[in-house]
Amino acid sequence: MSTLLEVRNLTKIYGEPGEHTLERTGPRAGTNICPDTEAIVACANVSFDLYPGEVLGIVGESGSGKSTVVKLLYFDMERTLGSAWLKPYLDGHSDILDASGQQKRYIRNYLMGMVYQNPRDGLNFRFTSGGNIAEKLIMAGHMHVGKIRERASFLLDRTEVPVRRMDDLPSSFSGGMQQRVQIAKAIANNPPLLFLDEVTTGLDVSVQARVLDLIRELQQELGIAMIVVSHDLSVIRMLTDRTLVMKHGRIVESGLTDQILQDPQHAYTQLLVSSLL
Amino acid sequence: MIENKKYSRRYNFAFIDESTKKEIRRKLLKAVAIPGYQVPYSSPEMPISRGWGTGGLHVTLAIIGREDVFKIIDQGSDASVNACNLREFVESMTGCKTTYDTREATIIQTRHRITEEVLEDHQIFVFQVPQPEPLRGVERYEYKTRLMHGEADYAKMWVSLYESFVQHGDIMLGAGYPVKVNGRYIMAPSPIPRWDVPNLNHARTLYLFGAGREKRLYAVPPHTTVEPLEFEDVLFKIEKFGLPCAKTGYRKAFLDELFLDDGSKEYVINDSNFMDKMELGMDVQQFVNPYLQKIVE
Amino acid sequence: MNIVEVQQLSKAFELHILGGKLIHALQEINFSISEGEVIGLTGKSGSGKSSLMKCVYRTYLPSSGAIRYASRSGVIDLASAPDHAVIALRRSEIRYCSQFLSVIPRVSALDVVCQFIGRSDDARAQASLLLERLGLPTELWDAYPVTFSGGEQQRINVARAIIARPRLLLIDEPTASLDASTKDTVIDLIRELRRGGTSVLCISHDTYTLNRLADRCLHLEGGRLVENIAYEQLVDSES
């Protein structure tokens, strides 16, 4: 298995699905809600491969299911259907969505990193910024305070957070800096896979540019594979190699990012691209 | 007339009814089977308020028998008001012999201290516990702490120790230092001073913990590994007094700071029975642990 | 040896916004590029030059036909290759330099040049050498290119494309907004690349550049390749 991550038929349905729920929802039906049972299909039949060191974007509007895909893969939610195989976990032979609670924690600590849109989801605001990074390191078994502090200050420096603020609480940081602490925490254990969920949404434009540039640099340096979720096509253009376009919970198009932006095939993608400001 | 003694007593032996005793004993067995794991229990109503030792009392009354010799200490002292009250209660409910002598007792109930004198395998040591959940300080929600224990996900606890070190230069927990029992559960050993924590490790006696208000029981069986939480480079330390006891000149015991009438300070041994024995020049067997051994006489 | 073989390449855009109307950009294009060759691509605007180049780079999905590329690990049809294979090639062997610089916000000119090779001290040293040769004033190296003139931006663009010595270079109007001396520098740089084994497909309407660079010229008209013509004829037709 030369892929890093293989996802097949990932589906999340809220409520009771009926026989025709999947047929009667989706981009052609123009809705996420099943007209028979009122079940909500957040995402369905999502399948894709991710290769090591690749950056995959997932773009879509609200209700497209893009955040759902990432939340399912990061175990923030339980799937309804589907499987995912991660190469570094049992050589890709075991569905990570079937793993036990402890195994999932192992995967989250050692093999994945996650940066949320809201820093409060990814950071513990009662711990210092260094403490947040220490949490990730301790969960991976590092028990030496001196070494933990060294690594934490290295990571903060790398993400351009002043190291002298290592022992400050994140509530005293600006939004952009909080995001950078989140990034430092996410890459603390050098995971092969990083999820970025709308990481620059809500940040000031100037801050956004710095954070995006940081992410690119880190990606090149560390060779981490990333899944970048955004509703903003310019962020996708900045960061990703390939993109999935989602609508009403289904993938409508997938391809190289520049191809999606310059030669969109699907009607919805053409609409999306022509709506770029 | 021949008195029927059986029905002349107003209370059941040891106050608690037999069915409840059975329930508490079953929970204690479960606690002993899973060292360090907090077992929920019924925590029946007692004639004492919550927060005054009901948990310890529940355990004592559930396991005490007619032949038992009962001792109770409060912060090391047999003679404190609360210790006396509880002793009289147990005595009147069971008719058991009570004692101040650690060696003589078979069941010892304690509030926030372990005795200096070593405990043997025929004795049972019962702790009164205010807050059984060691993670409460870092996680408010009960369902989350249960999940954390279930999955051995103690990162938050460790980070709080790290934070304490970073902010204050040392882990600032004086009493109730969290410990890892049998390599699995993190346990709150009730607010005993650091001095006593090493005496939990591989002890010959059975330790039982009762938290009445929080309705939890837990246990450390004999010969169980109990390790204080420490980092590779920030290690656990016990209190350093630097002074001997003012009355006996002894250095290797936990000392109390007393203020005398003239305003001066005096340091004396906290464990009152141990102090009495030392003053009388008796030969007393103390707990042995590596931290204690490091203290120079 | 042919590094690129384009066979019966056609490209049509289906505009769903116009109800699925087809716009034909390229029709049955056939040509090849030998290793170390510089091919010029000429034609009026709208004739399909950029489309052809974008098809080779896979920015456009060919509607039919094949683009056989002889990569280091074997021949691969770019038109039908899976995305990850194309990404790998773009990272290591094929570079595309568009007509205009795609600005990365808040990244200095020097770092833009280093975009694909990392920002190590080594890389930045190389970038500085290139920018110096291209005559970009030193004080601009740490500035943000967004406010630069077209010519300055183009220099950065070219530098970025050639710094990694790609195996196949696709370059669109490299000398368009440059003055005479910088033009010569760019032409020299591309020649150096070619001497190092790089093959080049170069769109240009500038006969000066084509004369000095191109081994052959391909001329597009209405999306079709007119027979390979020599530059002399081209000069005639342009004048």
Side-chain angles (χ1 to χ4, degrees):
Chain A
M1 186 179 154
S2 58
T3 48
L4 175 69
L5 176 70
E6 274 175 38
V7 176
R8 295 287 177 269
N9 202 26
L10 195 59
T11 305
K12 174 72 183 173
I13 304 178
Y14 296 99
E16 279 302 310
E19 258 181 57
H20 304 286
T21 299
L22 288 179
E23 289 156 25
R24 303 188 71 185
T25 52
R28 261 183 285 254
T31 178
N32 288 59
I33 306 177
C34 174
D36 296 330
T37 65
E38 294 193 350
I40 302 176
V41 179
C43 71
N45 304 123
V46 172
S47 303
F48 62 88
D49 289 340
L50 184 69
Y51 285 78
E54 228 177 43
V55 183
L56 176 72
I58 307 183
V59 70
E61 298 173 308
S62 340
S64 58
K66 52 190 197 298
S67 282
T68 308
V69 170
V70 157
K71 288 197 172 109
L72 288 168
L73 290 172
Y74 195 61
F75 313 128
D76 276 342
M77 267 189 207
E78 283 286 320
R79 50 103 201 252
T80 310
L81 290 171
S83 317
W85 294 273
L86 190 59
K87 175 85 170 149
Y89 176 67
L90 296 180
D91 207 36
H93 292 311
S94 183
D95 183 359
I96 60 173
L97 301 174
D98 270 339
S100 71
Q102 276 196 310
Q103 288 167 326
K104 282 186 181 164
R105 251 180 341 109
Y106 166 80
I107 296 171
R108 271 171 75 137
N109 290 337
Y110 288 83
L111 303 177
M112 292 183 179
M114 173 78 166
V115 183
Y116 293 91
Q117 177 179 354
N118 189 345
R120 280 178 194 269
D121 293 331
L123 296 176
N124 189 324
F125 272 58
R126 292 167 78 193
F127 294 148
T128 60
S129 57
N132 271 285
I133 300 175
E135 186 179 358
K136 202 87 198 258
L137 294 170
I138 289 171
M139 278 157 122
H142 299 99
M143 291 302 208
H144 191 282
V145 172
K147 288 191 190 145
I148 289 174
R149 277 181 81 69
E150 248 178 67
R151 176 101 180 122
S153 46
F154 169 78
L155 288 164
L156 287 172
D157 186 49
R158 195 64 201 76
T159 52
E160 290 167 37
V161 176
V163 176
R164 64 188 151 74
R165 305 213 57 190
M166 181 158 107
D167 299 324
D168 288 347
L169 295 172
S171 44
S172 60
F173 291 7
S174 67
M177 218 187 266
Q178 286 174 356
Q179 280 300 57
R180 279 179 270 153
V181 174
Q182 251 206 103
I183 295 170
K185 180 178 181 177
I187 61 172
N189 289 325
N190 272 333
L193 176 57
L194 186 64
F195 296 106
L196 298 148
D197 191 353
E198 303 268 16
V199 291
T200 52
T201 308
L203 293 178
D204 292 330
V205 181
S206 55
V207 178
Q208 181 175 274
R210 292 306 281 148
V211 172
L212 288 176
D213 189 46
L214 171 68
I215 295 170
R216 292 168 66 125
E217 258 192 81
L218 289 172
Q219 200 281 320
Q220 243 183 4
E221 214 178 280
L222 304 170
I224 305 181
M226 295 186 184
I227 296 184
V228 178
V229 171
S230 185
H231 65 276
D232 188 347
L233 275 171
S234 28
V235 169
I236 298 282
R237 179 167 52 91
M238 264 312 67
L239 289 181
T240 64
D241 301 316
R242 286 170 51 214
T243 303
L244 303 174
V245 181
M246 288 186 71
K247 183 173 198 269
H248 288 303
R250 314 289 202 278
I251 298 177
V252 295
E253 189 169 349
S254 112
L256 301 167
T257 301
D258 58 327
Q259 178 252 300
I260 297 270
L261 291 171
Q262 295 188 44
D263 184 22
Q265 306 290 298
H266 192 273
Y268 174 67
T269 321
Q270 291 183 353
L271 184 64
L272 205 59
V273 169
S274 57
S275 314
L276 255 180
L277 285 172
Chain B
M1 196 162 111
I2 302 170
E3 258 185 52
N4 188 341
K5 289 236 169 80
K6 191 176 174 188
Y7 297 105
S8 65
R9 274 183 282 129
R10 289 172 65 202
Y11 294 99
N12 190 38
F13 177 80
F15 184 76
I16 302 175
D17 61 277
E18 291 306 309
S19 319
T20 312
K21 272 193 220 167
K22 186 172 174 181
E23 184 256 339
I24 298 175
R25 288 172 193 159
R26 287 177 120 170
K27 298 295 168 72
L28 285 170
L29 285 173
K30 182 167 181 180
V32 170
I34 317 172
Y37 170 69
Q38 299 161 48
V39 184
Y41 79 113
S42 59
S43 187
E45 286 301 311
M46 299 294 282
I48 326 172
S49 296
R50 301 294 182 188
W52 291 86
T54 50
L57 210 53
H58 287 144
V59 175
T60 300
L61 295 173
I63 62 176
I64 198 164
R66 290 184 207 282
E67 306 298 315
D68 275 303
V69 180
F70 179 65
K71 169 181 157 87
I72 174 164
I73 48 173
D74 176 358
Q75 301 265 77
S77 167
D78 297 83
S80 89
V81 175
N82 297 319
C84 290
N85 269 336
L86 292 176
R87 181 181 309 112
E88 280 173 24
F89 178 70
V90 172
E91 197 177 7
S92 65
M93 288 296 124
T94 62
C96 289
K97 180 161 184 248
T98 59
T99 177
Y100 277 30
D101 187 347
T102 309
R103 201 153 187 74
E104 206 191 327
T106 57
I107 297 181
I108 304 173
Q109 183 171 325
T110 177
R111 177 177 166 271
H112 307 350
R113 277 248 40 217
I114 300 183
T115 55
E116 298 285 349
E117 190 169 348
V118 71
L119 297 162
E120 297 298 339
D121 49 8
H122 66 280
Q123 296 171 300
I124 298 182
F125 204 72
V126 179
F127 290 86
Q128 291 168 210
V129 180
Q131 175 54 268
E133 180 54 74
L135 305 174
R136 189 58 68 222
V138 290
E139 179 53 68
R140 295 183 270 176
Y141 292 105
E142 174 69 16
Y143 80 93
K144 279 194 187 156
T145 53
R146 287 212 199 179
L147 211 58
M148 286 160 86
H149 281 295
E151 300 201 336
D153 175 13
Y154 293 122
K156 267 192 172 166
M157 182 81 237
W158 286 104
V159 179
S160 76
L161 295 177
Y162 161 88
E163 295 275 312
S164 174
F165 174 78
V166 154
Q167 271 177 358
H168 306 116
D170 200 357
I171 298 172
M172 299 303 280
L173 298 164
Y177 197 93
V179 295
K180 193 161 219 183
V181 180
N182 206 25
R184 176 59 176 88
Y185 285 99
I186 289 190
M187 177 186 97
S190 90
I192 52 178
R194 287 181 179 219
W195 186 271
D196 292 337
V197 170
N199 296 335
L200 291 166
N201 186 33
H202 280 279
R204 291 197 286 270
T205 189
L206 170 65
Y207 292 116
L208 298 175
F209 298 79
R213 184 171 36 190
E214 295 293 317
K215 304 185 188 348
R216 297 281 185 274
L217 297 171
Y218 46 105
V220 175
H223 309 295
T224 306
T225 311
V226 176
E227 304 154 307
L229 298 186
E230 56 186 6
F231 290 97
E232 283 170 25
D233 56 339
V234 180
L235 300 171
F236 174 77
K237 299 191 284 280
I238 59 173
E239 288 89 346
K240 209 186 307 196
F241 295 103
L243 296 160
C245 163
K247 295 236 170 83
T248 60
Y250 193 60
R251 281 183 182 275
K252 285 188 166 187
F254 189 82
L255 301 179
D256 260 340
E257 186 184 53
L258 295 177
F259 284 90
L260 301 174
D261 290 333
D262 60 3
S264 61
K265 277 192 278 193
E266 194 178 59
Y267 293 89
V268 290
I269 296 177
N270 172 269
D271 185 339
S272 56
N273 183 244
F274 186 75
M275 163 89 142
D276 292 339
K277 288 183 180 168
M278 292 250 76
E279 276 187 313
L280 290 171
M282 286 169 67
D283 193 23
V284 197
Q285 280 265 39
Q286 233 187 327
F287 271 104
V288 170
N289 67 59
Y291 298 90
L292 220 50
Q293 281 167 336
K294 288 208 194 97
I295 302 176
V296 181
E297 257 304 327
Chain C
M1 189 202 78
N2 281 339
I3 192 168
V4 175
E5 270 178 33
V6 176
Q7 294 162 352
Q8 292 292 97
L9 180 68
S10 298
K11 174 63 187 166
F13 295 99
E14 188 181 355
L15 296 181
H16 296 282
I17 293 168
L18 300 175
K21 182 170 172 186
L22 281 177
I23 311 245
H24 295 278
L26 298 169
Q27 317 242 24
E28 290 161 2
I29 308 277
N30 288 285
F31 72 92
S32 56
I33 307 177
S34 315
E35 203 171 345
E37 237 193 330
V38 178
I39 309 281
L41 200 51
T42 60
K44 291 203 291 251
S45 41
S47 56
K49 319 188 285 292
S50 292
S51 302
L52 176 56
M53 193 168 270
K54 285 184 177 174
C55 278
V56 176
Y57 196 59
R58 249 297 285 278
T59 305
Y60 287 171
L61 270 179
S63 305
S64 63
I67 305 172
R68 293 215 155 48
Y69 170 74
S71 77
R72 287 203 185 96
S73 42
V75 178
I76 180 173
D77 176 14
L78 293 171
S80 58
D83 292 341
H84 69 269
V86 178
I87 293 171
L89 286 173
R90 285 180 178 187
R91 283 202 181 152
S92 54
E93 299 187 25
I94 308 178
R95 284 259 174 269
Y96 171 70
C97 179
S98 68
Q99 217 171 337
F100 304 105
L101 175 67
S102 57
V103 175
I104 312 171
R106 297 194 74 189
V107 174
S108 69
L110 200 66
D111 288 334
V112 168
V113 176
C114 296
Q115 187 183 341
F116 303 121
I117 57 169
R119 292 185 201 171
S120 62
D121 292 326
D122 225 4
R124 294 174 116 223
Q126 269 188 296
S128 338
L129 284 172
L130 259 180
L131 286 180
E132 205 182 323
R133 266 187 84 169
L134 287 163
L136 191 76
T138 324
E139 53 265 19
L140 291 179
W141 291 359
D142 288 321
Y144 299 142
V146 65
T147 49
F148 291 0
S149 72
E152 287 159 346
Q153 285 191 356
Q154 194 54 1
R155 276 174 263 188
I156 299 168
N157 206 2
V158 170
R160 177 173 63 176
I162 66 179
I163 193 170
R165 316 209 133 257
R167 218 154 151 257
L168 175 64
L169 176 66
L170 307 165
I171 193 160
D172 193 344
E173 300 284 6
T175 56
S177 27
L178 302 174
D179 60 59
S181 68
T182 325
K183 259 191 208 181
D184 283 328
T185 315
V186 170
I187 292 168
D188 282 335
L189 284 168
I190 297 179
R191 274 190 176 151
E192 273 169 40
L193 274 186
R194 190 254 220 100
R195 275 195 291 272
T198 304
S199 317
V200 183
L201 181 63
C202 172
I203 295 178
S204 187
H205 66 272
D206 183 27
T207 48
Y208 179 86
T209 310
L210 288 172
N211 280 343
R212 277 158 190 73
L213 268 186
D215 297 315
R216 278 187 294 136
C217 265
L218 300 171
H219 189 73
L220 280 172
E221 250 178 51
R224 285 185 191 279
L225 252 185
V226 172
E227 286 310 307
N228 290 1
I229 53 177
Y231 354 116
E232 298 79 34
Q233 279 178 285
L234 181 62
V235 169
D236 286 339
S237 69
E238 292 273 307
S239 54

